[in-house]
Amino acid sequence: MARSPKKAEAAPITNIYEGSIPTARLKDKVTYRHVLAALVDNEAGVLARVIGLFSGRGYNIESLTVSEVDRDQHLSRVNLVTSGTRQVVEQIKAQLNRLVPIHIVRDLTDDGPSVARELALVKVVGTGEKRVEALRIGDIFRANVVDSTTQSFVFEVVGNTEKVDAFIDLMKPLGLVEVSRTGVAAIARGAAAIEG
Amino acid sequence: MAAEAIVPRPPAADSGESAAPEPMLGAQIVLKALEEQGVEVLFGYPGGAVLPIYDELFKQNSIRHILVRHEQGAVHAAEGYARSTGKVGCVLVTSGPGATNAVTGLTDALMDSIPIVCLTGQVPTHLIGNDAFQEADTVGITRPCTKHNYLVRDVDQLARVMHEAFYIARSGRPGPVVVDLPKDVAMALGQYVTAPRGIQRQQHKTYRPQLKPQPSAVEAAVTLMANAKRPLFYTGGGVINAGPRAVAALRELVRLTGFPITSTLMGLGSYPAEDSQWLGMVGMHGLYEANLAMHDCDVMINIGARFDDRVTGNLNYFSPGSKKIHVDIDASSLNKNVIVDVGVIGDAGIVLEEMLALWKARGYRADQQALKGWWRNIAQWRARDCLRYDQRGKIIKPQYAIQRLYELTKHRETYITTEVGQHQMWAAQFYRFEEPNRWMTSGGLGTMGYGLPAAIGAQIAHPDGLVVDIAGEASILMNIQELSTAVQHRLPVKVFIINNQYMGMVRQWQELLHGGRYSESYTDALPDFVKLAEAFGCVGLRVSDPAKVDETIEEMIAVKRPVVVDVVVDQKENCYPMIPSGKAHNEMLLGPDDGGDKPIEGEGLALV
C-alpha cells in the first residue's frame, strides 16, 4: 500500500489491440490471475454477452462485478477476475474487444500497478468467548459491525481478495453462517484514466 | 394496449413541402432503411409477427422478395447471394419457429464470416416474456451465433438500429446480425433517420475495426519474407471478404515474390488455379504438395485464414520450422490456435497493398537460389500426383464426374456451391477456380443442406450465370424443399448429386476409425431423384454409365430450368489424400494402399 505513486501520465490509455504481442510472452505456460476492466454500453443483454463469451469459450470467471459508472453516457464498468496462460488471457481480451457494446478493455494486472478491493458481509452467530473473539478479530481487520443481535453480528469487511479470504477463514470456527461478497472492483494507480 | 394495434396509416410522405418529415409506420421504416442500404433482394418467409412488414412489401416494387420453403434455406440463400456478390445478404423471418429455424444459417454465416442482416418478427412488446404464441427469446438464442443482435423496443430507434446492423454486418470481420422486431413496434408511428454518411459512417460509437495495420508490423513481415528460403503464402476467406482490391494485391504480390501459394477451403479462387505458383488447397483433404510445403516451409504468410483444425492437423507437429506471419482483421484470430511471430491486424487489402509497396520500395528480391531449390522440392511432391484415381469399367468414379463437370463448365460464368461431405472435398480438389466469389461452401460449420439454397441465392444475384450445387444424396435431402423455391422464381439452378447411397464421409471415417462398422451411414430407402425432381417441376436426369457423363452434363447445361442430375457413382470410393486425425501434414495418406486401411488409434480417435 505504501507504493509511491507513479508520475502522472498525460495521455489517456487507448485500446490495447493496436499492435501485436511478443511471441515469447505468449508461449509462457504458467497460469496467471488477471484483473480486467471493461467499459460497456449500459444496455439490455450486455452482461449476458460477456458471460456467454466466457461460458461458450470455456474461460474462467473468478469474480465479476458490473455497475453503471456514467449515467449521462450510459456507461457501465465490468471488473473481471480470470486466470489463464498469457495466450488465453490475450484471447479473452481480444474476444471481449470484439463485442460490439464494449468500448475498451484494460488489463489491470499487465498494464502497471492497480488497486483491487472487494467488500464482504459476514454473518457470525455465537455467544460467550467465541462472540468476543469474533469482535476482536473484526477490529484487527478494521471490519465494521453493521448489524447486531445478542447472538449474532454482521461484519462489513473491505480489502483485497486475500484479506477478505483471511477474515472469512478466521471466522469459520467462531460461528460463521453466511457470507455475501461483492466481487472485485479495481482501478489503475496514477493519474491516467480509462476513457470510453 | 389493444388500441395501439390499430394505428392509421399515415398519408404518403411524398409531397415534400413540410419541413418536418412525416412519421412513418415501423414497417415502412424497415423497408426504407433496406432501400437506403441498397438491398435489392430479401429472402424470407411470412408469419404472424411480420405481417405488417409483408404488407408494406406488397405495396412497393424496389425490393424483390424471394419466398423460400424453410427459414434455414432463407439464410443460406442470403449467404449464397452475399458470397457471390460481396454485398450484405438480407433475410426476413417471423417470430418463434421462424427465428429458431434460422439459427443454423446464422451460425453458418458466423463461422464463415458472411455478412447477413436477419430481421426476425417478435411478439408485441407487452407479451414478451409471457410464453406467448410463437414467442422465442430470439436475442437470447441468437446471441452466441451472431456477430451482434438487437431487440428494438422503440420505433424511434428502429431506423438507427437498421443502419447500424448493416454497418456491423459488413465492417471488420463480416458476420450475421439479427434485428428482432416486435409486432407493435412495426405498427407504431416513428421518425425515419437516414444512415450516417461520410466520416460519421466510419465513426460508430464503439465498433471501429482496425483497417490500417501498424507500419512496424508490416515492415517486420516484409523483412521476414525477403529473407525467406522456403516461403509459402497461406490464404483464406479473409482475402475474398476484403474484396477485389485484396485479390488484385495478393496476385501481384505472389507473382512479384515468386513464392508458392496455397489456400484454405474458404479462400479458393482468390488466386487463379491455372497459375503455376498455385499448389492447390491445404488441409485434411488438401493436396499433398500443399501440405508438405506447409510442413517444411521456413516463412509462412497467412493472409486472412485462421489456423483452423482442418488446416493445421495436430498442432504439436504443425509446420515446426517456420516463422509465421498472420494478417487478420480480427485481433482474436491472432495467437488463438497457433502462436505467430508477426501479427498484423488490418484489412487484407490494405495490408497487402502496403506489403507490396514496401517490397517494391526496398527493391527486395527473394533468394533466387534458395527459391529454386524450394520449387524443386515442390515439383517432387507434385510428381506424386496425389489426386490420381482410376476411371475404369462401368462404374462412374465420383472424382471423374466432378472433373468432367469442371472441364465442361470452366469457360462459362460458373458458380459452384456444395453440400457437406466427400463430394464437397472432391469438388474443392477437382473444380479449379480462377476467380473469387465463384465458390460457396459451408466451411466452418459444415452444414449439410447448405448448397441448394446457397445456389438459389447465387442465381438470384447472377441470373445469367451457371449455378451448380455439387451435392451428395444425403445432404441434398436436408433442404430438398428449396427446389420448389427455384421453380417458383424460375431459377435455373443445377443440382449435381454425387450419389453413392452412403453418407460418404461418415462411412469413410467408420471405415478408418471404427473397424468398418457402418452404423446408420447407409441411406436406405432413398427417393428416386428423377421422379422427385419432376414432382417439384424440375427436370430430372440420371447417369450411371461413365461414357454418358459428358452428354448428361451438356444436357443439364442446355436446359434453362432447374435440373437435378442423379450421378450414380462408386459406393466404395474414399476421399484422398487425407491427413488422418491427430497426425501431421507429412503423415498424409495418398490412398488406400498407403496405409489408409490401418485403424486410427490413440488421441486421433477422439478428434472430429
Side-chain angles (χ1 to χ4, degrees), chain A residues 18 23 49 87 91 98 100, chain B residues 149 206 214 330 332 335 340:
Chain A
E18 286 182 342
T23 308
R49 287 181 207 282
Q87 189 189 4
Q91 260 301 299
R98 237 153 69 107
V100 170
Chain B
N149 62 16
T206 51
Q214 275 202 328
D330 177 4
S332 77
N335 302 312
V340 295

Side-chain angles (χ1 to χ4, degrees), chain A residues 17-21 23 26-27 29 41 43 45 48-49 57 87 91 94-95 98 100-103 196, chain B residues 143 147-149 168 173 204-207 210 214 330-337 339-341 343 345:
Chain A
Y17 270 93
E18 286 182 342
S20 54
I21 310 108
T23 308
L26 291 168
K27 289 191 172 156
K29 288 292 169 211
D41 278 334
E43 59 180 37
R49 287 181 207 282
R57 293 188 183 266
Q87 189 189 4
Q91 260 301 299
Q95 293 289 354
R98 237 153 69 107
V100 170
I102 289 203
H103 289 242
Chain B
R143 203 175 282 127
K147 184 172 172 188
H148 194 51
N149 62 16
I168 289 183
R173 179 177 176 177
H204 183 264
K205 188 169 57 163
T206 51
Y207 186 69
Q210 185 183 335
Q214 275 202 328
D330 177 4
S332 77
S333 282
L334 260 57
N335 302 312
K336 182 173 69 180
N337 301 327
I339 294 172
V340 295
D341 299 276
I345 299 167

Side-chain angles (χ1 to χ4, degrees), chain A residues 18-21, chain B residues 210 212-225 301 324-328 334 340-346 351 354-355 358 362:
Chain A
E18 286 182 342
S20 54
I21 310 108
Chain B
Q210 185 183 335
K212 271 188 74 65
Q214 275 202 328
S216 60
V218 175
E219 188 175 344
V222 172
T223 312
L224 257 183
M225 284 161 62
I301 310 130
K324 297 172 188 75
I325 299 163
H326 189 180
V327 178
D328 207 298
L334 260 57
V340 295
D341 299 276
V342 178
V344 188
I345 299 167
V351 175
E354 292 194 4
M355 281 177 156
L358 194 62
R362 295 268 171 91

